């Protein structure tokens, strides 16, 4: 692979999470400026199916969005060190795992937390499933940096109004993504840089 192609791939890997979080910032800015915080796009019982896709971009104010951004970006970049396939697998698995929450959980929820916990679940497990040193290092880094957030998966530990079920379903999505792709050779297996 030539140097120009490598730079393009690296640039896109850096930009993709920024684009995703940029959409959330745009939605929240419009919400706060024009709708006084009432334009939420949650998922929940009786709400449209497309809430599965819009809920991660909708937040309960800038404080909520800032805390999610701070975790989303580094976790995204860590997953992207493994490859696009891994990143997309986590995103798809999180959406699939949110379907039972959408259908059966009595309250609506929104925010990037489910995606964040999906990325975290993937990163914590992939090192144990793959024999590569890089995957093990990723898992250890995530456990050290983000292990304290695992308590939010326990019912009753999260503050009132925080959807622990969204965290747990996202985390399971990340686990399932890691299980699904752990035996498939990574796109980086032949082209490390």
């Amino acid at each position: 692979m030539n140097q120009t192609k490598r730079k393009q791939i690296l640039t896109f890997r850096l930009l993709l999470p920024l684009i995703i979080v940029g959409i959330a910032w745009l939605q929240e800015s419009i919400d706060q400026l024009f709708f006084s915080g009432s334009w939420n796009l949650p998922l929940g019982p009786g709400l449209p199916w497309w809430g599965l896709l819009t809920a991660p971009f909708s937040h309960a104010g800038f404080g909520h969005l800032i805390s999610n951004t701070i975790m989303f970006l580094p976790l995204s970049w860590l997953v992207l060190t493994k490859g696009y396939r891994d990143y997309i697998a986590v995103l798809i698995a999180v959406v699939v795992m949110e379907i039972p929450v959408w259908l059966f959980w009595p309250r609506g929820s929104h925010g990037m937390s489910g995606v964040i916990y999906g990325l975290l679940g993937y990163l914590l497990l992939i090192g144990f499933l793959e024999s590569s040193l890089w995957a093990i290092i990723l898992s250890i880094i995530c456990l050290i940096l983000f292990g304290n957030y695992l308590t939010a998966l326990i019912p009753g530990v999260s503050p009132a109004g925080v959807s622990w079920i969204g965290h747990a379903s996202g985390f399971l999505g990340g686990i399932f993504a890691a299980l699904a792709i752990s035996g498939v050779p990574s796109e980086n297996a032949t082209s490390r840089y």
Side-chain angles (χ1 to χ4, degrees):
M1 185 180 303
N2 67 35
Q3 193 67 20
T4 303
K5 183 70 171 172
R6 288 181 187 182
K7 284 182 182 179
Q8 289 173 342
I9 290 171
L10 182 59
T11 300
F12 187 71
R13 286 184 183 183
L14 290 172
L15 289 178
L16 180 60
L18 290 171
I19 291 167
I20 292 170
V21 84
I23 294 168
W25 276 89
L26 177 63
Q27 189 280 332
E28 191 60 35
S29 297
I30 291 169
D31 181 24
Q32 295 299 322
L33 288 172
F34 299 108
F35 299 97
S36 301
S38 64
W39 183 46
N40 292 316
L41 309 167
L43 66 93
L47 296 173
W49 67 267
W50 45 265
L52 293 165
L53 304 175
T54 60
F57 300 106
S58 175
H59 289 78
F62 286 114
H64 184 204
L65 180 54
I66 289 168
S67 65
N68 279 343
T69 299
I70 289 169
M71 286 191 63
F72 175 78
L73 290 174
L75 289 170
S76 289
W77 288 324
L78 286 171
V79 172
L80 281 164
T81 63
K82 295 272 298 145
Y84 298 115
R85 176 207 62 173
D86 302 65
Y87 195 67
I88 299 300
V90 172
L91 298 179
I92 291 170
V94 167
V95 170
V96 169
M97 290 307 297
E98 291 287 346
I99 292 172
V101 175
W102 167 60
L103 291 173
F104 304 114
W105 194 248
R107 295 189 327 245
S109 65
H110 60 134
M112 283 188 182
S113 299
V115 177
I116 289 166
Y117 278 90
L119 296 167
L120 182 58
Y122 167 85
L123 286 164
L124 289 175
L125 185 60
I126 199 67
F128 296 101
L129 296 175
E130 294 185 353
S131 59
S132 75
L133 179 61
W134 182 238
I136 293 168
I137 290 171
L138 277 177
S139 291
I140 291 170
I141 289 170
C142 284
L143 187 58
I144 292 168
L145 295 177
F146 302 104
N148 60 321
Y149 291 98
L150 295 176
T151 57
L153 301 173
I154 302 168
V157 173
S158 295
V162 174
S163 175
W164 70 268
I165 193 73
H167 298 169
S169 63
F171 190 79
L172 285 174
I175 297 290
F176 290 141
L179 290 168
I181 62 175
S182 65
V184 181
S186 173
E187 64 196 53
N188 292 336
T190 58
S191 61
R192 289 303 251 184
Y193 48 93

